[in-house]
Amino acid sequence: MSPVLPRPGPLRSPVGLSQAVVVLLGVAIVADLFSLLVGFNLHSAWRDVLSAGYDGSSGDSYERTETLYGLSGGLQALSLLVCGVVFIVWFNRIRGNAETFAPDAHSKSSGWAVWGWVVPVVNFWYPRRIALDIWTASGPEPHLGLAKPPSRGLINAWWTLWIVTVLHGNLASRMYERAEEGTDIQQALVQLMASDVIDIAAAVLAILVVRQLTAMQHQKVMGPVVSSGDQR
């Protein structure tokens, strides 16, 4: 008895959503760079406080920089939230297209394209698995294997950095919240700045993933670009 496959739905262009995601990822990168700069200044301000004492000059500089650092964290959280929502909408759309391309190429149901990001524990591997299935289904010949699918290295690199930035960012934030001594705060700031760097790298890879998957689906629908010389 053959398995019952899901009924394919209509194809919907992911191009507009992908452009919005890329812009929002760029905004998130700018927020990370701002946090990185302010974090470096706050680290320097703490160095001045520890070496010269908390006088009027160093104290005022520290308080201004600390307030600015709190603002940068809020901007990071806001940009992540907005970008995350639009990214999941785009991800759900390309998952729907991928099911139309190859209904039998998916190991997870379509609902997990959304819930897989928010359900605890499974959100550490379900989105990657779904992304790999989309990658396969969006390739030239997902059923017959007539063409070798593109390398999955980009997906794996992006997902690895995403997991690292989530885990390391949470650890660094807890270190900063619990730090009381100046030296402990400086160490926590170093970890937070390292988390910003990792997050920037993850966002750059996410941009490449979004562009590549969108291009693969667009080409699958529209066909390869034919040069004028090939039309003879």
Side-chain angles (χ1 to χ4, degrees):
M1 182 177 179
S2 59
V4 178
L5 300 178
R7 296 179 61 184
L11 293 172
R12 302 177 65 190
S13 174
V15 174
L17 279 172
S18 73
Q19 293 171 345
V21 173
V22 168
V23 170
L24 290 171
L25 283 168
V27 172
I29 290 174
V30 171
D32 285 334
L33 288 171
F34 179 60
S35 176
L36 188 62
L37 175 62
V38 179
F40 179 81
N41 290 338
L42 185 58
H43 188 277
S44 299
W46 261 110
R47 184 184 60 219
D48 294 340
V49 168
L50 292 175
S51 61
Y54 195 87
D55 57 19
S57 176
S58 62
D60 290 344
S61 176
Y62 162 74
E63 290 178 359
R64 288 194 301 268
T65 308
E66 186 183 41
T67 300
L68 195 58
Y69 195 57
L71 174 63
S72 71
L75 292 175
Q76 283 180 299
L78 179 61
S79 64
L80 178 62
L81 176 62
V82 175
C83 183
V85 170
V86 180
F87 182 95
I88 291 174
V89 173
W90 166 82
F91 193 73
N92 187 54
R93 177 165 296 186
I94 64 169
R95 170 60 176 79
N97 290 343
E99 188 166 293
T100 300
F101 296 149
D104 57 345
H106 304 277
S107 58
K108 308 298 178 187
S109 63
S110 59
W112 284 112
V114 175
W115 293 109
W117 292 95
V118 297
V119 175
V121 182
V122 301
N123 57 1
F124 281 97
W125 76 87
Y126 268 38
R128 172 188 172 273
R129 180 66 264 171
I130 295 169
L132 290 175
D133 291 342
I134 295 171
W135 190 273
T136 299
S138 303
E141 295 291 345
H143 300 292
L144 304 179
L146 298 181
K148 183 179 179 181
S151 170
R152 297 176 172 183
L154 178 59
I155 296 285
N156 290 330
W158 158 64
W159 190 250
T160 298
L161 277 185
W162 167 247
I163 295 299
V164 171
T165 193
V166 168
L167 296 178
H168 188 271
N170 288 337
L171 177 62
S173 296
R174 287 197 297 268
M175 287 180 60
Y176 186 70
E177 292 171 359
R178 296 173 182 174
E180 296 181 357
E181 300 295 331
T183 53
D184 294 336
I185 294 175
Q186 283 185 303
Q187 292 175 0
L189 283 170
V190 170
Q191 294 303 318
L192 284 170
M193 289 188 286
S195 181
D196 290 337
V197 172
I198 299 170
D199 197 52
I200 290 170
V204 170
L205 289 181
I207 289 174
L208 297 178
V209 168
V210 170
R211 290 174 60 87
Q212 181 64 32
L213 280 173
T214 301
M216 289 169 66
Q217 292 202 346
H218 185 73
Q219 180 172 331
K220 196 172 182 71
V221 174
M222 304 302 295
V225 178
V226 180
S227 65
S228 59
D230 296 333
Q231 296 178 348
R232 293 196 299 251

